[in-house]
Amino acid sequence: MQIKKICCIGAGYVGGPTMAVIADKCPSIHVDVVDINKKRIQKWNSPNLEELPVYEPGLKEIIKRCRNKNLKFSTSIKEKISKADMIFISVNTPTKKKGFGAGKASDLKWVEACARQVALYASGHTIVVEKSTLPVRTAGVIKEILNECEVSPRKSHSNKTFDVLSNPEFLAEGSAINDLITPDRVLIGGDTQIAIETLAKIYQNWVPNEKILRTNLWSSELAKLTSNAFLAQRISSINSISAICEQTGADIREVSKAIGSDSRIGSKFLNSGPGFGGSCFKKDILNIVYLSEYFGLPEVASFWESVVQLNNWQQHRISKLIVRKLFGTLSNKKIVILGFAFKANTNDTRESPAINICKDLLEEGASLVIHDPKVCSEQINFDLKFESTNNFEEQQNKTLIEEGNWIKENDLSDSFKDADAAVFLTEWSEYKNINWDDVYEKMRKPSWIFDARSITNPMEVRNAGLNLWRIGDGL
Ligand code: UDX
Ligand code: ADP
């Protein structure tokens, strides 16, 4: 089967960059990215490439090359579904907030809505690809909805047929384009060989065939959850050791290097920090927890749940020690938050450790000055649950959290003015070359630097006269 038209439902952090790379690498395929969110689509179509809704290094260059050629962004969901040979479902699947499985299971309402739209509007034979991270056996739900439409007696004139594939995305934000262009592997799960090979053929335009793994549907879905769970587990493991380092005089950077030199362990994902954030890790682990409980495996569930618990603990541990070092009170104290995104090179703040840490500090009455090169004030307001009003000025001091207040500062150097402490929470490269003598002059004394990302040079900070706490630094 030759794919000429692809439609991707969902123009988010996964759908947007993934489709941009497919369009770039496959000039003969027309790619339509559709979304119900008009504002998001407008941003994808903005002539000013700085306004794209997703910030990813290398993305705007691809958009410039392909947009309005073989890559189009629109809200014409029905029309684009009806014309597509292959449909990617790339919509959000957050953790359920209420009902059965609340707090653990994924909310599949958006996926189900997509499947129903595909069932209604698709024509001819369509390959439906799940791209969003989903609980194991979601493909079964999609299949059931689509099959209903294939066999419905009232639709006996219907010429619709479907194949369902699982093709989870392993890109990491901030390096999405690179990850898409040179993936470690592409995973395709399905039960129809022809459909699997049709999708594999698209990837073969730039990915060596030996990197394209073919599995059954359920292995593909479970492998995606497990990959994220393993990565997150490494972070919780190293973060647990950071706390021991601080008590014993060991240094977490030296410990990480020493254990990472063992080729069986490997050196990646051993950076201790304020805990993992991002839309996937917590959600995927909780999915495994839910699945384990559902299948009567409480020991497995509690093993994975502890990874999330340790992550929460690490964030509150950092907030607590900031309060302790600042004499037990943050009232009338100005604290600079350096970085609000969950990692560098992205404007995404979902599950960012900065959210919990800032909330803790606000509860203690702190005045926060938040700096982040990519995250906008509206997003911070949303994340910190400041009351929503149309007047942004008013919003600055109205918070659902009783204490504290915050402002956004765009100038890094100005943010230190009269501050009592600065806390590094995202490893933005601009934070690597700070003039500490200058910072010392600007801050109120005694001044504290809390480096949760190992981004500072400790000698330089201390020589400038500042107090320094570094993650996992027992000295
Ligand atoms: C992750 C997976 O890496 C990716 O394969 C999957 O498709 C989606 O989830 P992402 O969440 O975008 O990607 O970023 P990632 O680089 O994995 O970082 C996740 C979190 O872990 C970030 O908060 C990051 O700061 C933190 N992290 C990462 C550490 O604290 N230490 C590390 O050594 C690595
Ligand atoms: P991800 O990180 O998985 O890409 P995002 O939340 O960034 O998740 O993007 C998901 C996108 O899917 C959002 O822009 C949302 O508006 C879109 N979406 C959700 N449901 C539908 C639907 N039924 N039809 C079209 N788009 C949808």
Side-chain angles (χ1 to χ4, degrees):
M1 186 181 170
Q2 182 79 19
I3 299 296
K4 295 201 182 87
K5 279 190 188 246
I6 288 177
C7 170
C8 173
I9 310 179
Y13 284 88
V14 173
T18 309
M19 292 305 123
V21 168
I22 291 184
D24 200 32
K25 297 292 180 186
C26 312
S28 63
I29 299 180
H30 183 92
V31 181
D32 279 300
V33 186
V34 294
D35 202 295
I36 35 174
N37 183 335
K38 279 194 191 128
K39 212 168 148 198
R40 210 165 210 184
I41 291 297
Q42 266 166 14
K43 286 188 179 174
W44 280 112
N45 284 325
S46 169
N48 179 356
L49 292 173
E50 298 304 324
E51 287 175 5
L52 294 179
V54 170
Y55 170 73
E56 277 297 339
L59 176 63
K60 58 181 187 218
E61 289 76 8
I62 300 183
I63 297 293
K64 197 170 168 196
R65 276 199 295 277
C66 303
R67 194 174 60 187
N68 297 329
K69 291 179 186 133
N70 67 331
L71 176 65
K72 293 202 172 134
F73 295 90
S74 77
T75 51
S76 316
I77 302 176
K78 276 188 217 173
E79 181 205 333
K80 303 301 179 191
I81 288 178
S82 70
K83 290 184 177 157
D85 314 306
M86 182 175 272
I87 296 173
F88 286 81
I89 297 184
S90 194
V91 298
N92 31 331
T93 51
T95 304
K96 266 180 101 172
K97 291 209 173 84
K98 48 187 181 185
F100 294 117
K104 286 184 188 148
S106 276
D107 193 338
L108 294 181
K109 68 176 173 217
W110 293 276
V111 172
E112 190 184 324
C114 279
R116 289 185 190 279
Q117 280 173 312
V118 172
L120 263 179
Y121 303 117
S123 59
H125 186 69
T126 312
I127 299 177
V128 178
V129 185
E130 4 167 270
K131 201 52 162 157
S132 322
T133 308
L134 293 163
V136 184
R137 301 204 82 88
T138 305
V141 175
I142 298 176
K143 267 184 175 179
E144 218 170 285
I145 293 170
L146 299 177
N147 281 348
E148 195 59 32
C149 154
E150 271 181 6
V151 299
S152 169
R154 282 192 288 128
K155 304 219 175 87
S156 51
H157 59 281
S158 154
N159 62 348
K160 298 177 197 193
T161 50
F162 298 99
D163 275 310
V164 178
L165 297 176
S166 158
N167 172 222
E169 189 43 69
F170 293 102
L171 67 81
E173 288 177 30
S175 56
I177 301 301
N178 239 348
D179 296 342
L180 285 160
I181 292 174
T182 50
D184 286 346
R185 76 318 208 171
V186 165
L187 182 55
I188 305 178
D191 41 30
T192 322
Q193 211 52 36
I194 299 175
I196 293 176
E197 290 313 315
T198 305
L199 180 55
K201 211 169 151 204
I202 294 176
Y203 284 108
Q204 278 162 357
N205 281 299
W206 75 98
V207 179
N209 190 40
E210 61 275 15
K211 286 194 172 183
I212 304 178
L213 310 181
R214 286 92 163 159
T215 67
N216 76 33
L217 266 174
W218 326 122
S219 303
S220 169
E221 289 180 331
L222 185 58
K224 167 66 189 182
L225 296 182
T226 310
S227 288
N228 279 346
F230 266 56
L231 291 170
Q233 172 267 119
R234 271 172 84 93
I235 299 169
S236 279
S237 298
I238 203 69
N239 283 342
S240 73
I241 303 299
S242 74
I244 301 183
C245 287
E246 287 163 33
Q247 299 300 321
T248 56
D251 183 318
I252 195 64
R253 287 145 292 268
E254 292 177 353
V255 175
S256 292
K257 191 164 179 204
I259 63 167
S261 306
D262 184 329
S263 60
R264 293 168 303 174
I265 296 174
S267 60
K268 293 182 181 163
F269 264 73
L270 287 179
N271 292 324
S272 181
F276 55 78
S279 69
C280 290
F281 282 0
K282 185 172 161 194
K283 179 183 81 178
D284 290 354
I285 292 178
L286 292 177
N287 253 316
I288 293 182
V289 171
Y290 182 70
L291 201 73
S292 311
E293 283 171 352
Y294 181 82
F295 288 114
L297 303 166
E299 291 79 5
V300 180
S302 72
F303 172 75
W304 286 110
E305 198 158 21
S306 72
V307 173
V308 175
Q309 282 162 355
L310 198 120
N311 198 52
N312 293 336
W313 175 78
Q314 178 81 340
Q315 294 169 15
H316 295 303
R317 177 173 94 78
I318 292 173
S319 316
K320 271 192 204 149
L321 70 87
I322 294 173
V323 178
R324 213 173 47 238
K325 300 256 188 224
L326 297 181
F327 311 120
T329 174
L330 301 187
S331 287
N332 300 318
K333 290 204 175 117
K334 182 171 157 185
I335 300 182
V336 187
I337 300 296
L338 295 163
F340 200 80
F342 79 96
K343 61 186 270 193
N345 294 321
T346 177
N347 58 348
D348 195 349
T349 62
R350 286 177 290 179
E351 301 294 338
S352 176
I355 299 174
N356 277 340
I357 295 175
C358 285
K359 280 184 181 170
D360 285 346
L361 302 181
L362 286 167
E363 294 280 4
E364 292 289 331
S367 295
L368 302 181
V369 176
I370 303 178
H371 177 275
D372 190 289
K374 292 288 170 202
V375 179
C376 63
S377 303
E378 288 80 355
Q379 185 61 48
I380 299 173
N381 229 23
F382 176 80
D383 290 330
L384 296 182
K385 301 218 175 350
F386 272 63
E387 262 177 30
S388 176
T389 97
N390 288 333
N391 181 338
F392 189 64
E393 289 300 313
E394 247 176 51
Q395 231 170 357
Q396 299 281 318
N397 285 315
K398 265 189 158 185
T399 167
L400 298 183
I401 297 167
E402 302 273 293
E403 306 290 333
N405 56 69
W406 71 272
I407 52 161
K408 169 110 199 277
E409 173 59 69
N410 294 327
D411 186 300
L412 177 58
S413 171
D414 284 353
S415 58
F416 291 98
K417 210 162 159 260
D418 300 324
D420 296 279
V423 190
F424 287 89
L425 294 180
T426 314
E427 70 287 20
W428 286 104
S429 62
E430 41 267 78
Y431 298 158
K432 287 183 185 153
N433 298 311
I434 289 176
N435 180 333
W436 293 108
D437 293 324
D438 192 36
V439 167
Y440 178 80
E441 291 306 320
K442 290 195 164 117
M443 290 178 78
R444 196 160 81 133
K445 316 294 175 301
S447 338
W448 270 96
I449 304 299
F450 295 94
D451 182 359
R453 287 287 189 177
S454 303
I455 198 169
T456 59
N457 178 327
M459 282 260 281
E460 283 178 15
V461 178
R462 291 193 174 114
N463 286 346
L466 297 148
N467 295 301
L468 174 68
W469 170 88
R470 262 196 328 159
I471 191 93
D473 189 344
L475 293 181

